[in-house]
PDB file of all heavy atoms in Angstrom:
ATOM      1  N   MET A 118      17.191 -13.043   3.407  1.00 98.00           N
ATOM      2  CA  MET A 118      16.280 -12.580   4.463  1.00 98.00           C
ATOM      3  C   MET A 118      14.921 -13.246   4.329  1.00 98.00           C
ATOM      4  O   MET A 118      14.284 -13.600   5.322  1.00 98.00           O
ATOM      5  CB  MET A 118      16.160 -11.050   4.418  1.00 98.00           C
ATOM      6  CG  MET A 118      17.432 -10.368   4.900  1.00 98.00           C
ATOM      7  SD  MET A 118      17.269  -8.582   5.006  1.00 98.00           S
ATOM      8  CE  MET A 118      19.008  -8.124   5.172  1.00 98.00           C
ATOM      9  N   GLU A 119      14.488 -13.392   3.083  1.00 98.00           N
ATOM     10  CA  GLU A 119      13.215 -14.065   2.842  1.00 98.00           C
ATOM     11  C   GLU A 119      13.291 -15.510   3.329  1.00 98.00           C
ATOM     12  O   GLU A 119      12.381 -16.020   3.985  1.00 98.00           O
ATOM     13  CB  GLU A 119      12.936 -14.026   1.344  1.00 98.00           C
ATOM     14  CG  GLU A 119      11.488 -14.228   0.961  1.00 98.00           C
ATOM     15  CD  GLU A 119      11.317 -14.005  -0.535  1.00 98.00           C
ATOM     16  OE1 GLU A 119      11.666 -12.901  -1.011  1.00 98.00           O
ATOM     17  OE2 GLU A 119      10.894 -14.945  -1.219  1.00 98.00           O
ATOM     18  N   LYS A 120      14.406 -16.146   3.034  1.00 98.00           N
ATOM     19  CA  LYS A 120      14.600 -17.556   3.366  1.00 98.00           C
ATOM     20  C   LYS A 120      14.691 -17.801   4.864  1.00 98.00           C
ATOM     21  O   LYS A 120      14.161 -18.772   5.393  1.00 98.00           O
ATOM     22  CB  LYS A 120      15.906 -17.998   2.700  1.00 98.00           C
ATOM     23  CG  LYS A 120      16.017 -19.462   2.375  1.00 98.00           C
ATOM     24  CD  LYS A 120      17.090 -19.619   1.308  1.00 98.00           C
ATOM     25  CE  LYS A 120      17.765 -20.958   1.372  1.00 98.00           C
ATOM     26  NZ  LYS A 120      18.829 -21.053   0.335  1.00 98.00           N
ATOM     27  N   THR A 121      15.401 -16.901   5.571  1.00 98.00           N
ATOM     28  CA  THR A 121      15.684 -17.134   6.992  1.00 98.00           C
ATOM     29  C   THR A 121      14.696 -16.414   7.913  1.00 98.00           C
ATOM     30  O   THR A 121      14.633 -16.732   9.106  1.00 98.00           O
ATOM     31  CB  THR A 121      17.090 -16.614   7.354  1.00 98.00           C
ATOM     32  OG1 THR A 121      17.129 -15.200   7.092  1.00 98.00           O
ATOM     33  CG2 THR A 121      18.159 -17.301   6.523  1.00 98.00           C
ATOM     34  N   GLY A 122      13.984 -15.426   7.383  1.00 98.00           N
ATOM     35  CA  GLY A 122      13.097 -14.637   8.240  1.00 98.00           C
ATOM     36  C   GLY A 122      13.840 -13.655   9.129  1.00 98.00           C
ATOM     37  O   GLY A 122      13.248 -12.987   9.960  1.00 98.00           O
ATOM     38  N   ARG A 123      15.155 -13.575   8.969  1.00 98.00           N
ATOM     39  CA  ARG A 123      15.930 -12.604   9.757  1.00 98.00           C
ATOM     40  C   ARG A 123      16.200 -11.356   8.924  1.00 98.00           C
ATOM     41  O   ARG A 123      16.375 -11.453   7.710  1.00 98.00           O
ATOM     42  CB  ARG A 123      17.251 -13.229  10.225  1.00 98.00           C
ATOM     43  CG  ARG A 123      17.065 -14.153  11.435  1.00 98.00           C
ATOM     44  CD  ARG A 123      18.386 -14.711  11.926  1.00 98.00           C
ATOM     45  NE  ARG A 123      19.455 -13.736  12.014  1.00 98.00           N
ATOM     46  CZ  ARG A 123      19.668 -12.925  13.062  1.00 98.00           C
ATOM     47  NH1 ARG A 123      18.905 -12.985  14.117  1.00 98.00           N
ATOM     48  NH2 ARG A 123      20.678 -12.077  13.050  1.00 98.00           N
ATOM     49  N   ARG A 124      16.212 -10.198   9.600  1.00 98.00           N
ATOM     50  CA  ARG A 124      16.412  -8.943   8.864  1.00 98.00           C
ATOM     51  C   ARG A 124      17.441  -8.058   9.561  1.00 98.00           C
ATOM     52  O   ARG A 124      17.097  -7.054  10.198  1.00 98.00           O
ATOM     53  CB  ARG A 124      15.072  -8.191   8.734  1.00 98.00           C
ATOM     54  CG  ARG A 124      14.054  -8.953   7.870  1.00 98.00           C
ATOM     55  CD  ARG A 124      12.729  -8.226   7.751  1.00 98.00           C
ATOM     56  NE  ARG A 124      12.831  -6.910   7.127  1.00 98.00           N
ATOM     57  CZ  ARG A 124      13.046  -6.719   5.826  1.00 98.00           C
ATOM     58  NH1 ARG A 124      13.211  -7.734   5.020  1.00 98.00           N
ATOM     59  NH2 ARG A 124      13.113  -5.500   5.351  1.00 98.00           N
ATOM     60  N   PRO A 125      18.712  -8.416   9.464  1.00 98.00           N
ATOM     61  CA  PRO A 125      19.744  -7.570  10.073  1.00 98.00           C
ATOM     62  C   PRO A 125      19.771  -6.174   9.435  1.00 98.00           C
ATOM     63  O   PRO A 125      19.517  -6.037   8.240  1.00 98.00           O
ATOM     64  CB  PRO A 125      21.048  -8.324   9.797  1.00 98.00           C
ATOM     65  CG  PRO A 125      20.730  -9.357   8.781  1.00 98.00           C
ATOM     66  CD  PRO A 125      19.269  -9.607   8.817  1.00 98.00           C
ATOM     67  N   ASP A 126      20.074  -5.165  10.252  1.00 98.00           N
ATOM     68  CA  ASP A 126      20.251  -3.809   9.735  1.00 98.00           C
ATOM     69  C   ASP A 126      21.314  -3.809   8.656  1.00 98.00           C
ATOM     70  O   ASP A 126      22.352  -4.460   8.799  1.00 98.00           O
ATOM     71  CB  ASP A 126      20.729  -2.873  10.859  1.00 98.00           C
ATOM     72  CG  ASP A 126      19.613  -2.516  11.821  1.00 98.00           C
ATOM     73  OD1 ASP A 126      18.438  -2.781  11.505  1.00 98.00           O
ATOM     74  OD2 ASP A 126      19.938  -1.968  12.898  1.00 98.00           O
TER      75      ASP A 126
END
Side-chain angles (χ1 to χ4, degrees):
M118 288 185 194
E119 200 173 303
K120 206 160 152 181
T121 61
R123 281 183 45 85
R124 295 179 61 73
D126 285 347

